[in-house]
Amino acid sequence: MTGRLITDHSSPEEAVSGANDVVAAPGTEIPGSRGSPPRDHFGGASGLGVFAAVGAAALCLAFSPKVNSVTFTPKVAVLLLFAAVGIVPLARLVRTDSLLRWPARAAVAFLAVALVSALVSPSPNIGFFGLYLWGTGWLFWLGAAGAFAIGASLGPSDRRWLWAGLLVGSVGSALVAVFQIVKNLQTPGLSLFDGTQADGFLGNPIHLEALLLGGLALVLGRACRSPLRWGAVVLLLAVGLEFTFERLAVAILVLLVLYALYSYGARRGGTFALLIAVGYGIAYLSGGSGLGSRVTSGTSETTFGVRLRVWLQGAHYLLHHPLLGAGSGQLRTAMDSTATLSFYQHVLVGRILTDGHDIFVEVAVTTGLLGLGCFLIWLFGAARLAARCGFLGFAAAIVAVELVEPLNVAILPLAFLALGAATAVRRKPVGIPGDSARQLAEQQGVQTPSPHPNHRVVAPLARVTTVVAVALALFIGVTMVAGDAYMFHGTNSGPGRPFNLAAAKDANRLLPYWPDPALELAQIKAFDSLSRVSVAPADLAAARQWTSVATSRDPR
């Protein structure tokens, strides 16, 4: 334990537990880092660990064909629970003696800047909740921070549960992708994106791409050490990844293979590369030939040309609004405020720019330089304190995709959840008693937290805070999903009844923070005015009134 310490990507115990612990080399081994894993692999987990595992799987797989957005509102409801449960762990990280307090404090500072930015924006409600079908407002960032704090608070047994939850979400999404390609159904939630690409239950193939790449990074060490045991998982993830027909995945896969070759040698790393190649081959022979056509038909103008223009336009907006930006989740406001006609001539017809297609551009434009500075300290400060493990690989793969793709209410919180767990691997190793763990962590420059002197007073307050926050999150989440279900029935009432006015009014009452339900009412009244023999002035007036309501909720 006094030797030079290294952190292995995937220790033998991690092949089962996913805890990915510190390994001493050479010399006396740390207990639990070698030999047979404990029999009770998933025993002793806390409620927080179980929630992290179930929540991670739910973020990947939550959907409903009976809501208007199919995937959006069910996942936002889960994200709100991460925000509520993570408040107390985040507060504890801020006050801990560990070096992790600095990234945690940066996260809190970022949340404060983002909240002020949302409140002073032209549409505070949009800044708080985010755009409908997008949801990257302040609550989104609160959920990401909560997920990070939850991951950083997990012990060894809890991390085994989290690893299993991430694996279930990744493998389950890959299975859904295979089912979509094979069956090609037209059912909401199961139909192919644009009729050709698999998207799982994530609403867009680029988000499925990020998740499956994260899943491959999560099991990379296991697959290299035990290809017979984990080969089928790698094959399935590779097949699902090919069915997304996304091109960026190829570049990131090359990096993963190079890492496997560097860390595990030519034989083991080559086996990992071979498994991925076989998976892509199986998908291609099964009808997944869309990737080749997308690669050959894609041009720099349609891929990075528009992205580059968005980034330059975002930089132009930031120069004029450097402090707080446009408001959380409101990059569209920035684009509409400064973009010229020549800029929109290069955007596909009918597309609205609601995301910067780069996580740092998105943060900078919507929260200003203050928010960007806090965010960078949070992200890279945590990465610096994280162990080199499967959790860190999962987070890194997703963030790599987010460098050129839109944010998502499920994908980025999962990355922060895994990043937090990677820091916990270093702060709370497996199989080491409390005093030894503290000494080991201090040798790595990481101090373990000491008990708070007022723990007896703080603990009840923390429980009350969590209960109240969870109750509020459940209320908002349930009403959000119910309102979205009414929106679905408002425009899907069956043959002969294309609209349902009563359902649309219920949706508007349950979703007062978004303009979209009011716009649906305006469309219904406009349709009623045209379905009569002569135009009904009262219906037209009602349509104008509901349009004004929608505009008041989002003036932009």
Side-chain angles (χ1 to χ4, degrees):
M1 291 178 62
T2 59
R4 188 177 68 86
L5 297 168
I6 63 172
T7 307
D8 188 22
H9 182 95
S10 178
S11 64
E13 178 174 322
E14 190 202 2
V16 176
S17 69
N20 226 13
D21 308 314
V22 179
V23 179
T28 305
E29 295 178 351
I30 294 176
S33 64
R34 289 282 189 250
S36 302
R39 296 181 179 179
D40 190 10
H41 303 315
F42 295 94
S46 67
L48 190 65
V50 175
F51 169 80
V54 175
L59 279 176
C60 301
L61 303 174
F63 93 108
S64 172
K66 297 300 182 180
V67 296
N68 193 54
S69 61
V70 182
T71 61
F72 171 66
T73 47
K75 295 183 187 302
V76 173
V78 178
L79 178 62
L80 291 175
L81 290 176
F82 272 98
V85 175
I87 290 176
V88 171
L90 183 60
R92 288 173 176 165
L93 286 180
V94 169
R95 303 180 64 184
T96 185
D97 294 333
S98 167
L99 291 178
L100 196 59
R101 67 184 181 276
W102 297 112
R105 291 172 181 177
V108 173
F110 171 74
L111 290 175
V113 173
L115 180 59
V116 173
S117 176
L119 294 177
V120 300
S121 68
S123 305
N125 52 315
I126 299 299
F128 194 76
F129 289 93
L131 294 170
Y132 180 67
L133 300 181
W134 221 251
T136 53
W138 186 79
L139 284 178
F140 165 76
W141 291 113
L142 180 62
F148 169 76
I150 290 171
S153 303
L154 299 181
S157 297
D158 296 329
R159 295 196 298 270
R160 299 185 188 107
W161 277 79
L162 175 59
W163 184 89
L166 293 173
L167 183 64
V168 168
S170 302
V171 171
S173 298
L175 289 172
V176 174
V178 173
F179 180 81
Q180 286 179 303
I181 292 292
V182 172
K183 291 296 184 180
N184 194 15
L185 300 177
Q186 301 303 316
T187 306
L190 290 174
S191 58
L192 294 172
F193 184 83
D194 284 342
T196 58
Q197 297 175 261
D199 59 0
F201 290 146
L202 291 165
N204 196 307
I206 59 178
H207 306 320
L208 178 61
E209 170 196 34
L211 176 62
L212 297 185
L213 285 170
L216 284 170
L218 188 69
V219 301
L220 185 150
R222 297 169 177 78
C224 289
R225 292 180 181 276
S226 181
L228 293 179
R229 183 174 184 180
W230 296 98
V233 174
V234 175
L235 286 175
L236 178 59
L237 293 175
V239 169
L241 192 58
E242 206 279 346
F243 282 155
T244 66
F245 303 155
E246 289 297 325
R247 294 158 288 192
L248 179 63
V250 177
I252 298 179
L253 282 175
V254 171
L255 296 178
L256 289 178
V257 168
L258 291 176
Y259 177 82
L261 292 171
Y262 173 78
S263 299
Y264 298 98
R267 183 176 63 84
R268 292 178 174 179
T271 302
F272 179 75
L274 179 62
L275 288 171
I276 292 178
V278 171
Y280 263 68
I282 293 174
Y284 181 83
L285 296 176
S286 302
S289 58
L291 177 61
S293 61
R294 279 174 58 83
V295 170
T296 55
S297 63
T299 63
S300 59
E301 180 64 26
T302 58
T303 54
F304 288 98
V306 174
R307 285 175 172 83
L308 182 59
R309 289 187 176 88
V310 171
W311 298 340
L312 292 175
Q313 200 65 40
H316 177 71
Y317 181 87
L318 188 62
L319 289 175
H320 293 82
H321 305 81
L323 196 61
L324 295 173
S328 301
Q330 299 184 71
L331 182 129
R332 183 195 64 182
T333 297
M335 294 294 102
D336 291 345
S337 300
T338 60
T340 62
L341 179 60
S342 61
F343 171 81
Y344 277 102
Q345 287 176 341
H346 296 279
V347 179
L348 296 177
V349 176
R351 298 293 177 91
I352 300 175
L353 297 176
T354 53
D355 189 276
H357 281 70
D358 179 273
I359 185 173
F360 302 117
V361 171
E362 176 77 16
V363 170
V365 173
T366 56
T367 63
L369 294 177
L370 284 177
L372 178 62
C374 295
F375 182 78
L376 291 175
I377 296 174
W378 172 22
L379 179 63
F380 291 107
R384 179 178 175 272
L385 298 175
R388 186 167 61 102
C389 60
F391 289 126
L392 182 61
F394 182 92
I398 289 180
V399 172
V401 175
E402 300 291 357
L403 292 177
V404 293
E405 299 293 3
L407 303 182
N408 178 258
V409 294
I411 294 303
L412 192 63
L414 285 175
F416 275 102
L417 178 64
L419 178 61
T423 65
V425 170
R426 190 177 180 189
R427 294 170 60 238
K428 303 176 181 179
V430 168
I432 305 177
D435 295 337
S436 299
R438 182 184 299 274
Q439 180 183 3
L440 177 61
E442 289 175 353
Q443 292 175 4
Q444 303 176 76
V446 180
Q447 299 178 4
T448 55
S450 58
H452 195 275
N454 297 325
H455 177 73
R456 293 183 179 180
V457 178
V458 173
L461 178 61
R463 284 193 288 269
V464 171
T465 301
T466 301
V467 169
V468 172
V470 168
L472 183 60
L474 286 173
F475 174 77
I476 297 176
V478 170
T479 55
M480 186 180 292
V481 174
D484 207 30
Y486 280 120
M487 280 192 69
F488 174 80
H489 292 296
T491 54
N492 293 272
S493 297
R497 296 184 60 195
F499 299 107
N500 187 325
L501 183 61
K505 288 183 176 179
D506 289 334
N508 185 66
R509 280 192 290 267
L510 291 171
L511 304 174
Y513 32 84
W514 283 325
D516 303 82
L519 283 177
E520 184 177 75
L521 282 168
Q523 292 171 347
I524 292 176
K525 298 308 294 183
F527 178 83
D528 287 342
S529 71
L530 298 175
S531 62
R532 305 174 188 272
V533 177
S534 59
V535 176
D539 290 331
L540 284 178
R544 295 189 186 98
Q545 178 185 359
W546 286 116
T547 302
S548 298
V549 172
T551 306
S552 67
R553 295 175 182 175
D554 186 5
R556 293 295 182 179

